[in-house]
């Protein structure tokens, strides 16, 4: 809830969503740093001064956000997500805000797996096989199993992981 600066994890369905919701919070945090409290930096990756206390986002950090968004163009997740939105009355799956949060889930799994770790509380993505013949019919851009998958496929993770690695190398903290 960007207006309240809160991450909600519901008791029954919150497990597996922490990484996704945390990235939304980070995305909103950086937008707040430039005075846009209800916005998300991934949707408008540009440097502007905040009207509050002269705070701003370092241009390098904006470029790191832009790098993550740009990396999506080297995958087909945007196309697959847009296909899912064709089944809705309001765009959701294909918004950059949601795609980047889902891709961060993929990145989290990838980084954990590099250390032989898994954590179903941080992230629990349904496999592409689970999206096969269920509510998503066989049309458009499909997974090998025949469904439209709203996450990265295994062969798509490398370019996005590189962009997120750069992102986290760019983040700096100060007291």
């Amino acid at each position: 809830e960007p207006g309240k600066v809160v991450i909600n994890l519901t008791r029954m369905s919150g497990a597996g969503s922490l990484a996704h919701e945390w990235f939304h919070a980070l995305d909103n945090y950086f937008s707040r740093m430039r005075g846009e409290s209800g916005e998300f930096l991934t949707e408008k990756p540009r440097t502007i001064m905040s009207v509050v206390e002269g705070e701003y986002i370092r241009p390098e950090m904006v470029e790191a956000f832009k790098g993550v968004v740009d990396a999506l163009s080297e995958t087909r997740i945007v196309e697959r997500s847009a296909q899912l939105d064709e089944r809705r009355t309001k765009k959701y799956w294909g918004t950059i805000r949601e795609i980047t949060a889902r891709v961060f889930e993929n990145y989290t799994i990838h980084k954990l797996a590099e250390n032989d770790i898994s954590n179903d509380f941080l992230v629990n993505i349904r496999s592409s096989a689970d999206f096969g013949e269920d509510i998503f019919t066989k049309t458009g851009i499909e997974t090998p199993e025949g469904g439209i998958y709203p996450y990265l496929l295994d062969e798509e993770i490398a370019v996005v992981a590189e962009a997120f690695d750069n992102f986290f190398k760019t983040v700096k903290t100060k007291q």
Side-chain angles (χ1 to χ4, degrees):
E1 295 181 56
K4 296 179 181 177
V5 192
V6 168
I7 295 176
N8 279 319
L9 300 176
T10 60
R11 194 163 42 124
M12 298 305 285
S13 59
S17 65
L18 183 57
H20 180 104
E21 298 304 332
W22 183 86
F23 189 77
H24 280 316
L26 184 70
D27 194 0
N28 177 253
Y29 168 81
F30 278 100
S31 187
R32 285 174 171 278
M33 290 298 295
R34 65 179 185 195
E36 297 175 336
S37 62
E39 303 296 325
F40 294 84
L41 192 64
T42 52
E43 294 176 339
K44 300 175 191 172
R46 66 192 188 293
T47 304
I48 61 173
M49 292 294 289
S50 169
V51 295
V52 180
E53 301 176 25
E55 292 182 352
Y56 73 100
I57 303 167
R58 292 180 302 117
E60 299 86 359
M61 200 67 240
V62 174
E63 284 302 311
F65 267 99
K66 190 173 180 315
V68 169
V69 173
D70 289 349
L72 300 176
S73 67
E74 297 187 43
T75 72
R76 297 183 74 191
I77 191 170
V78 174
E79 297 168 72
R80 290 191 305 270
S81 298
Q83 291 264 323
L84 288 173
D85 277 341
E86 289 177 9
R87 293 152 176 80
R88 297 177 48 87
T89 56
K90 185 178 177 187
K91 191 174 179 182
Y92 169 78
W93 293 99
T95 63
I96 292 300
R97 171 192 320 183
E98 289 301 326
I99 293 172
T100 53
R102 286 195 315 275
V103 167
F104 182 69
E105 291 179 71
N106 285 112
Y107 175 74
T108 301
I109 289 172
H110 172 75
K111 292 308 273 187
L112 289 170
E114 285 181 345
N115 294 296
D116 295 322
I117 299 171
S118 67
N119 185 318
D120 287 345
F121 187 77
L122 287 177
V123 60
N124 190 1
I125 297 176
R126 289 173 54 195
S127 73
S128 60
D130 291 339
F131 279 79
E133 292 288 343
D134 64 8
I135 62 171
F136 309 113
T137 60
K138 286 184 72 173
T139 60
I141 301 158
E142 302 173 347
T143 66
E145 294 82 7
I148 301 171
Y149 192 54
Y151 293 93
L152 293 175
L153 300 174
D154 290 343
E155 62 271 15
E156 296 173 319
I157 188 66
V159 66
V160 176
E162 184 179 329
F164 270 113
D165 286 344
N166 179 61
F167 178 91
F168 287 109
K169 287 177 188 169
T170 305
V171 173
K172 297 196 184 303
T173 60
K174 68 178 180 177
Q175 295 289 328

